[in-house]
Amino acid sequence: MESFIEVPLDSDFPLENLPWGVFEAPGPAGPQVHVGVALGQHVISATELQLCSIVVPVPVHTRVQGRLNEFMAAGRPAWRAARSTLQRLLNASEGELRDNSELMSRVVHKQADVTMLLPAQIGDYTDFYASRQHATRVGSMFRGPANALNPNWLHLPVGYHGRSSSVVPSGAPVRRPSSAVSSSSPPPRPVVAPSTQVDFELEVAAFIGPGNTLGEAIPVESAWEHVFGLVLMNDWSARDIQKWEYVPLGPFCGKNWATQISPWVVTSEALEPFKCRPPAKQAGDPDVLPYLQEAMPYTYDVNLAVDITPPGVDRATTVTRSNLKHLYWSFAQMIAHHTVGGCNLRPGDLLGSGTISGDEADSSGCLLELTHASRDEIVTEASTGVVRRRYLEDGDVVTLRGWCGGDGVPCRRIGFGRCSGELLPCQP
Amino acid sequence: MESFIEVPLDSDFPLENLPWGVFEAPGPAGPQVHVGVALGQHVISATELQLCSIVVPVPVHTRVQGRLNEFMAAGRPAWRAARSTLQRLLNASEGELRDNSELMSRVVHKQADVTMLLPAQIGDYTDFYASRQHATRVGSMFRGPANALNPNWLHLPVGYHGRSSSVVPSGAPVRRPSSAVSSSSPPPRPVVAPSTQVDFELEVAAFIGPGNTLGEAIPVESAWEHVFGLVLMNDWSARDIQKWEYVPLGPFCGKNWATQISPWVVTSEALEPFKCRPPAKQAGDPDVLPYLQEAMPYTYDVNLAVDITPPGVDRATTVTRSNLKHLYWSFAQMIAHHTVGGCNLRPGDLLGSGTISGDEADSSGCLLELTHASRDEIVTEASTGVVRRRYLEDGDVVTLRGWCGGDGVPCRRIGFGRCSGELLPCQP
Ligand SMILES: [Ca+2]
Ligand SMILES: [Ca+2]
Ligand SMILES: [Mg+2]
Ligand SMILES: [Mg+2]
Ligand code: NI
């Protein structure tokens, strides 16, 4: 499938991908907000196509409000129809858009010329804790290997309600928080200080499609139908703040200062060729409860990596590699669990997976794990020399990457783009 | 201060109150959404007053969208201006509205003829745990009196992010949730079952006004300026679900199936005469950290009560009485803590106080406390006989009431109206 718009071979965004996003582009009367898709190094405005009566079946509210909530609500038939319209219009063999230079100038922008915004108004953001490897290694550090997993962990996807106001897109600066942390000696005497344990968390998050009515659960068998698509998510975390505050009601100031997502939502349609089986059960694992059992469970094979670029350093170092497929709990199971008691999910809600760690120590999804809670260091390398880290330092740029396939032509990579943020010093 | 609209002596809504709300009223072209205030047994549409060019300074978006977020964002000068305009227009001595019968018919509706909606689009809902009496008694039950309060409790207002999608107004039916609960014998083998431990929680919640920019904290000294007003809140809770799920990330399915609020937001201006000092420190209590210290700390003296009406019973029984002034942490401190690390609060966000218990056992704000985790029973009395409860049963109606003053004429009561909901049986 080739477009008349050039797509570099190593692009995250071939015509098979077409992830959805919201962007501000220059217009004749000043900057204007569009909804649209990414293609190669360009963006395609669905808003402009509709205004020109080329029917991309995106609901009117989506165009007007400059966010994807209404489109997410429309469900899979609408998503498929929009995708196939766009794939036809953008195809190398199709002249309707290609040969209309006036239309092209309004519809096609370079990614370098637009500013990416959040894809949706996020009504509620929930974060899970779905990686067995992560929960086991973190639990081992704090409670020892015998009690690594809490009694509920293998029975339900543990999660908590996060803070939607501080979800920011890639590129937004992120500021080191200052809050109450406890000194180590008992009795605990807290002080207010900038966090010295700022960490990233490598996650994937799902944007919810139609969702459910309050009081009516979503069965696990239809739960994937409520996933509009996936993004990368860095759940920035301040471990020292979190540690002091989290008993008994969970993370609060340790997590609510920034949650960063990649701006392009890779759709379930684009991910379809990369469906795979979830990990096998281990001996002794309990059967999950019926509301979490799928006849044909699946997830997606999405490669993940985290790069760190310390300040003044001329290149990024990949500090961990993982994969979405390692998760013990799938997004379908998270959705079924979230709604089992009647809680309603709304279009545009965001569900984070929790830190995604692989089997190896160097496939851990956060520094807490990678350094064994600061026992070790990670090393970044550049021509300017070696830089070591236990936790993040001011000026560090953290970049999450994700991609499916791409191991050879003609197999194009379905990429997620980047979720990138620089850690700024604490507010003076 | 008297209005030409009759206000019964025992009304929650004299001219001194004028709480804000959003309601759907019959109109010439079908039901229409208004913003406005309550007065006696009537509602006054600020939307209609503005359409008639009688300037109530409510931002245009508030009228158009039928929610108060923009008005909340406008801040105290705008709130005061709207209040004084309305108090003038509605005054017994003022003819502009009173003598215009056509205008009256559009602006004034009976409360019985309108449907109350949520006052705002709630971007994020946070629930705190600010009652020392509650935290102490619950902690004692589970960890013994010596360890009743967790080490962090006296140092910071513990809170968690709640679920905004399932915040519903008074009158909305509430459905008993079914979810995973653990049987008592170890090893824990969970089952999916309707919760048998459905509880109410008597809370007061603040609607946030202007709020703050991500990365910039709200100092405690100006935090009350960000409280638009207060409502009653029943944080419906399923104790058995909560108990099994909440370690280590906090309440989830135990809480996210319904949070119910009273629909009229009682403003800081109306509460002004009922300011009072917070409780005195106890011997040995630590100083709170500087970011939580106010020069002149205050809260409000708001009487609270919870009534239960079992099904088929002809009257309500008041099962507990408490008061907002008992809280150890004030809303100003909750706001300062919420934002200390840079988390942004947005206009229309909702901050719950946590269960508000008084000093006496019969002033406890939830059944878990009142019955000592089902050791005892509470008794409701009616002409049809006595009904006993450990937890709530299907068909029980739970009603929260709140009021300031009203101990005698001419001291009018500033009331909150009611937060009332019936517990429906679990979805079949
Ligand atoms: Ca996380
Ligand atoms: Ca509560
Ligand atoms: Mg976060
Ligand atoms: Mg609740
Ligand atoms: Ni009347």
Side-chain angles (χ1 to χ4, degrees):
Chain A
M1 205 187 287
E2 287 299 318
S3 173
F4 55 85
I5 293 173
E6 193 201 328
V7 177
L9 266 183
D10 63 346
S11 173
D12 274 347
F13 306 129
L15 195 51
E16 291 83 355
N17 192 350
L18 295 187
W20 285 85
V22 175
F23 52 90
E24 192 179 85
Q32 205 191 332
V33 175
H34 302 248
V35 301
V37 294
L39 181 63
Q41 292 162 321
H42 291 82
V43 296
I44 314 297
S45 168
T47 303
E48 286 293 332
L49 284 170
Q50 280 202 315
L51 292 176
C52 302
S53 302
I54 296 177
V55 180
V56 177
V58 171
V60 173
H61 278 98
T62 293
R63 292 192 272 125
V64 173
Q65 300 179 349
R67 37 176 132 100
L68 288 163
N69 296 68
E70 301 271 335
F71 185 50
M72 291 167 171
R76 197 168 299 281
W79 307 337
R80 288 208 172 121
R83 176 178 171 85
S84 78
T85 301
L86 286 167
Q87 285 186 332
R88 179 184 60 74
L89 275 176
L90 294 165
N91 200 286
S93 64
E94 174 72 39
E96 185 176 0
L97 173 59
R98 180 193 63 201
D99 301 339
N100 183 337
S101 62
E102 193 275 331
L103 185 57
M104 278 287 286
S105 73
R106 282 191 288 149
V107 168
V108 183
H109 296 269
K110 287 184 184 159
Q111 281 183 35
D113 294 340
V114 306
T115 305
M116 297 306 300
L117 307 177
L118 286 178
Q121 181 180 10
I122 299 167
D124 280 291
Y125 149 55
T126 301
D127 199 20
F128 284 89
Y129 187 51
S131 162
R132 180 180 200 151
Q133 292 86 338
H134 173 64
T136 303
R137 288 204 283 265
V138 169
S140 296
M141 277 187 253
F142 295 121
R143 291 182 300 273
N147 302 303
L149 292 180
N150 282 305
N152 57 15
W153 200 93
L154 292 168
H155 294 283
L156 56 86
V158 171
Y160 66 98
H161 303 120
R163 180 80 196 173
S164 68
S165 69
S166 52
V167 177
V168 297
S170 179
V174 161
R175 196 170 281 286
R176 178 186 300 272
S178 174
S179 189
V181 293
S182 180
S183 65
S184 50
S185 57
R189 292 299 300 183
V191 295
V192 174
S195 168
T196 59
Q197 300 184 356
V198 171
D199 202 351
F200 63 83
E201 290 192 331
L202 168 62
E203 304 197 20
V204 169
F207 270 103
I208 293 296
N212 59 316
T213 302
L214 183 61
E216 294 177 12
I218 296 178
V220 70
E221 289 295 356
S222 59
W224 275 114
E225 294 302 304
H226 294 271
V227 175
F228 172 72
L230 305 180
V231 292
L232 305 171
M233 186 171 100
N234 181 356
D235 179 21
W236 293 88
S237 298
R239 301 299 179 195
D240 40 3
I241 299 173
Q242 186 182 350
K243 189 174 175 189
W244 170 237
E245 77 183 354
Y246 88 104
V247 176
L249 299 181
F252 191 61
C253 290
K255 297 268 193 186
N256 66 15
W257 46 282
T259 305
Q260 196 157 36
I261 61 174
S262 55
W264 292 110
V265 189
V266 179
T267 65
S268 303
E269 285 68 40
L271 294 170
E272 182 72 21
F274 304 96
K275 272 187 180 175
C276 65
R277 298 298 302 271
K281 292 276 177 195
Q282 297 179 14
D285 283 355
D287 286 338
V288 298
L289 285 165
Y291 78 100
L292 297 169
Q293 277 173 24
E294 294 168 279
M296 297 281 286
Y298 66 89
T299 181
Y300 297 104
D301 183 350
V302 181
N303 299 294
L304 300 168
V306 179
D307 301 338
I308 293 181
T309 314
V313 156
D314 58 355
R315 65 168 178 267
T317 297
T318 298
V319 299
T320 194
R321 294 175 183 278
S322 186
N323 194 300
L324 179 65
K325 72 182 176 187
H326 296 318
L327 289 182
Y328 181 86
W329 297 107
S330 72
F331 281 110
Q333 290 172 312
M334 296 180 223
I335 288 170
H337 179 66
H338 206 317
T339 63
V340 66
C343 180
N344 53 328
L345 300 181
R346 294 178 294 190
D349 283 353
L350 189 69
L351 266 57
S353 62
T355 306
I356 304 174
S357 296
D359 294 325
E360 320 303 327
D362 63 357
S363 64
S364 293
C366 61
L367 289 173
L368 175 68
E369 252 185 83
L370 285 168
T371 67
H372 304 91
S374 291
R375 191 191 67 190
D376 307 328
E377 291 177 323
I378 60 156
V379 177
T380 67
E381 290 183 64
S383 61
T384 43
V386 161
V387 176
R388 296 166 192 281
R389 288 286 182 267
R390 290 194 157 92
Y391 283 105
L392 294 169
E393 296 193 6
D394 292 346
D396 284 352
V397 174
V398 178
T399 303
L400 276 51
R401 293 179 291 121
W403 68 96
C404 305
D407 304 320
V409 179
C411 177
R412 288 283 214 173
R413 181 168 82 202
I414 298 291
F416 282 69
R418 279 151 190 264
C419 173
S420 191
E422 178 179 345
L423 181 64
L424 301 186
C426 196
Q427 191 86 320
Chain B
M1 206 188 286
E2 287 300 318
S3 173
F4 55 86
I5 293 173
E6 192 200 329
V7 177
L9 267 182
D10 64 346
S11 174
D12 273 348
F13 307 127
L15 195 52
E16 292 83 354
N17 193 349
L18 295 188
W20 286 85
V22 175
F23 52 90
E24 191 179 85
Q32 206 192 330
V33 176
H34 301 249
V35 301
V37 294
L39 180 65
Q41 292 162 323
H42 292 81
V43 296
I44 314 298
S45 168
T47 303
E48 286 292 333
L49 284 171
Q50 281 203 314
L51 292 176
C52 301
S53 302
I54 297 176
V55 180
V56 178
V58 171
V60 173
H61 278 97
T62 293
R63 294 191 270 124
V64 173
Q65 300 178 351
R67 33 175 134 101
L68 288 163
N69 296 69
E70 301 272 336
F71 185 49
M72 292 166 171
R76 196 169 299 280
W79 309 336
R80 288 207 172 122
R83 176 177 171 86
S84 79
T85 301
L86 287 166
Q87 285 186 332
R88 178 182 62 74
L89 275 176
L90 294 164
N91 201 285
S93 64
E94 174 73 37
E96 185 176 1
L97 172 60
R98 181 193 63 202
D99 301 340
N100 183 337
S101 62
E102 193 275 331
L103 184 58
M104 278 288 286
S105 73
R106 283 189 288 149
V107 168
V108 183
H109 296 269
K110 288 184 182 159
Q111 281 182 37
D113 294 341
V114 306
T115 304
M116 296 308 299
L117 308 177
L118 286 178
Q121 181 180 9
I122 300 167
D124 280 289
Y125 150 55
T126 300
D127 200 18
F128 284 90
Y129 187 49
S131 163
R132 181 181 199 151
Q133 292 86 339
H134 173 65
T136 302
R137 288 205 283 266
V138 169
S140 296
M141 278 188 250
F142 295 122
R143 290 181 301 272
N147 301 302
L149 292 179
N150 282 305
N152 56 14
W153 200 94
L154 292 168
H155 294 283
L156 57 87
V158 171
Y160 66 98
H161 303 119
R163 180 81 194 172
S164 69
S165 69
S166 53
V167 177
V168 297
S170 178
V174 161
R175 197 170 280 288
R176 180 186 296 275
S178 175
S179 189
V181 293
S182 180
S183 65
S184 52
S185 57
R189 293 298 300 180
V191 295
V192 175
S195 169
T196 59
Q197 301 185 357
V198 171
D199 202 350
F200 63 82
E201 291 192 332
L202 169 60
E203 305 196 20
V204 168
F207 271 103
I208 293 296
N212 59 316
T213 303
L214 182 61
E216 293 176 12
I218 295 177
V220 71
E221 288 296 355
S222 58
W224 275 115
E225 294 302 304
H226 294 271
V227 175
F228 172 73
L230 304 181
V231 294
L232 305 172
M233 185 171 101
N234 181 355
D235 179 21
W236 294 87
S237 298
R239 301 297 180 195
D240 41 1
I241 298 172
Q242 186 182 349
K243 190 174 175 189
W244 169 237
E245 77 184 355
Y246 88 104
V247 175
L249 298 182
F252 191 62
C253 290
K255 297 267 193 187
N256 65 17
W257 47 281
T259 305
Q260 196 156 35
I261 61 173
S262 56
W264 292 110
V265 188
V266 178
T267 65
S268 303
E269 284 70 41
L271 294 170
E272 183 71 22
F274 305 97
K275 272 187 180 176
C276 65
R277 299 296 303 268
K281 294 273 176 197
Q282 296 178 16
D285 283 355
D287 286 337
V288 298
L289 286 165
Y291 78 100
L292 298 169
Q293 276 174 24
E294 294 168 277
M296 296 281 286
Y298 67 88
T299 180
Y300 297 104
D301 182 351
V302 182
N303 299 294
L304 300 168
V306 180
D307 301 340
I308 293 182
T309 313
V313 156
D314 58 355
R315 67 168 176 265
T317 298
T318 298
V319 298
T320 194
R321 294 176 184 279
S322 186
N323 193 302
L324 178 65
K325 71 182 177 187
H326 296 318
L327 289 183
Y328 180 85
W329 297 107
S330 72
F331 281 112
Q333 291 172 311
M334 296 181 223
I335 288 170
H337 180 66
H338 206 317
T339 62
V340 66
C343 180
N344 53 328
L345 300 180
R346 293 177 294 191
D349 283 354
L350 189 70
L351 266 56
S353 63
T355 306
I356 303 175
S357 296
D359 294 325
E360 320 302 328
D362 63 356
S363 63
S364 292
C366 62
L367 289 172
L368 174 68
E369 251 184 84
L370 285 168
T371 67
H372 305 91
S374 291
R375 191 193 66 189
D376 307 328
E377 290 177 324
I378 60 156
V379 178
T380 69
E381 290 183 64
S383 61
T384 43
V386 160
V387 177
R388 295 167 192 280
R389 288 286 182 267
R390 290 196 156 91
Y391 282 105
L392 295 168
E393 297 193 6
D394 293 346
D396 284 351
V397 174
V398 178
T399 302
L400 277 51
R401 293 179 291 121
W403 67 97
C404 304
D407 304 322
V409 178
C411 179
R412 289 283 212 170
R413 182 167 82 203
I414 298 292
F416 282 71
R418 280 152 189 264
C419 173
S420 190
E422 177 179 347
L423 182 63
L424 301 186
C426 197
Q427 189 86 321

